[in-house]
Amino acid sequence: HDMDTKSRSNKHEAEFLASFCRYLLQQGYNPSQITILTTYTGQLFNFKKVMPRQFFEGVRICAVDNFQGEENDIILLSLVRSNDEGNVGFLKVENRVCVALSRAKKGFYAIGNLTMLAEASPLWSKIIHELRQQDCVGTHLTLCCQNHANSRISAATKKDFTKAPEGGCMLPCEFRLKCGHVCTSVCHPTDPEHEQYKCLKPCPKILCHLGHKCPKLCHQQCGDCKVPVEKVIPRCQHKQKIPCSKSPNVFKCQAPCEKTLPCGHSCKNKCSQECTMPCMESVSYQLTCGHTMQAACSAKKNELVCNSPCRQPLKCEHPCAGTCGGCKQGRLHQPCRQKCNRVLVCSHQCNGQCTETCLPCNRPCENRCIHYRCQQKCREPCGSCQRPCEWRCNHHKCGKPC
């Protein structure tokens, strides 16, 4: 009894029918041909837990009351009720029983406590008696392998279906494929001619006259031989490792270019590329300011701007943070970026930029007396303490405000 949904559920029946439904799908039945019926809506939640959508997509799961007037090829029925008290609830209702047992066109399978139903209901007693006479009632399902007639499985729980992992049996398939290999899967009834089966053995084919084997799997397209082979490139006579199937006439040589540029430096490109023009070799230049600078060989000396640090002392005595070229060789310095640190009249240091005008101090005032500490900013006038002055000597006591 499910207290959350106030309905009935039976985990064993849900797991068994889910496994049986998977087995039927492995036999090649279309999901739309199968409907799972249950007599209680609470059982629907159990089915949703044990039947992931990615595998059972298309299989309909429905309560009996919602399936009136409909049919399907295969009906799997979960009767749910099983208790020591023999309470079968509305399973005694004849029209519900009629709907539950009459929805299948080709195959009908029901799971439940038939002994309890027969004892609790005359209607079920009559139905089950007739079924027993036709040998349609048992404690298990017998699963017969389509490929191995002697292989049979007695399925009474969901674990028994694991003996037919692909819907057949546990014997190896061993079907001889067109490639010459055999199927490595366990026995499976679907795809008997193995038209959709992908052979996972290494490909045995030889790709070229040098005897290179295909590195792919048997079911994959071999393609051209990609094994690196040393070949001579006709255009430059360099030896290069290139794919076996590729012609050296169309291969772009990856060896370094051996040509010398007009400036005397070696080309930095690949053999198959155009030479580097202009030359980007780094060389030293002596500038008019006296500094030495590294730049490309092709650079024009009169257009170079010195990037050496200026470091000349400014009026504030801080060193200039600009560059020699940026400061026009000391003629036009950049503004100082360092902190001011000048001592203000209050004895605090200025925290502004060196090039800015010092602002009034913004730090807390440090003035105090024995009664009071000033709460103003340092730049603001202090308040006057009006309490009596505490100064005194052996002869006299000050009578003025503090």
Side-chain angles (χ1 to χ4, degrees), residues 74-282:
I74 300 174
I75 297 294
L76 308 182
L77 174 64
S78 172
L79 294 171
V80 181
R81 283 285 192 169
S82 179
N83 52 73
D84 295 333
E85 296 80 16
N87 185 1
V88 298
F90 61 70
L91 289 182
K92 292 181 179 180
V93 180
E94 294 187 6
N95 63 334
R96 280 178 170 161
V97 175
C98 177
V99 172
L101 303 182
S102 61
R103 302 297 96 192
K105 296 179 184 178
K106 298 180 180 179
F108 176 77
Y109 299 88
I111 180 173
N113 191 337
L114 300 186
T115 302
M116 185 198 74
L117 290 172
E119 293 174 353
S121 167
L123 173 63
W124 278 104
S125 177
K126 182 179 178 181
I127 293 171
I128 294 169
H129 176 73
E130 186 174 341
L131 290 174
R132 291 188 189 280
Q133 288 183 333
Q134 299 177 22
D135 198 22
C136 292
V137 177
T139 58
H140 62 268
L141 285 176
T142 301
L143 310 180
C144 301
C145 178
Q146 297 182 26
N147 302 322
H148 305 95
N150 295 328
S151 179
R152 294 174 178 267
I153 300 171
S154 297
T157 67
K158 68 170 186 176
K159 291 183 179 180
D160 294 326
F161 287 94
T162 60
K163 299 173 185 177
E166 298 294 334
C169 61
M170 294 299 290
L171 294 175
C173 175
E174 296 183 339
F175 181 87
R176 183 66 61 179
L177 305 173
K178 293 179 181 179
C179 61
H181 297 127
V182 296
C183 176
T184 57
S185 299
V186 294
C187 178
H188 53 94
T190 56
D191 192 20
E193 298 301 322
H194 290 73
E195 295 177 354
Q196 300 176 3
Y197 180 81
K198 294 181 178 180
C199 181
L200 301 179
K201 294 285 187 180
C203 181
K205 296 177 183 177
I206 303 299
L207 297 179
C208 61
H209 66 283
L210 296 178
H212 297 141
K213 289 185 177 181
C214 177
K216 298 182 179 180
L217 297 177
C218 187
H219 75 275
Q220 297 172 324
Q221 291 291 334
C222 292
D224 297 328
C225 181
K226 302 293 184 182
V227 178
V229 177
E230 189 176 77
K231 296 183 182 181
V232 177
I233 310 301
R235 186 169 52 185
C236 59
Q237 297 301 308
H238 287 138
K239 291 183 178 180
Q240 293 280 284
K241 289 276 189 179
I242 66 176
C244 179
S245 60
K246 192 158 191 173
S247 170
N249 294 317
V250 298
F251 180 77
K252 292 183 178 181
C253 182
Q254 300 299 305
C257 181
E258 298 174 352
K259 296 177 183 178
T260 302
L261 302 178
C263 60
H265 293 128
S266 298
C267 177
K268 299 299 183 182
N269 281 354
K270 304 292 184 184
C271 178
S272 59
Q273 297 174 324
E274 295 292 333
C275 289
T276 49
M277 295 295 288
C279 178
M280 301 307 294
E281 182 81 20
S282 181

Side-chain angles (χ1 to χ4, degrees), residues 313-319 335-340 342 354-355:
L314 304 175
K315 291 182 180 180
C316 60
E317 298 183 357
H318 291 135
C336 182
R337 301 190 192 98
Q338 296 196 40
K339 285 190 175 183
C340 178
R342 295 187 186 95
C354 181
T355 55

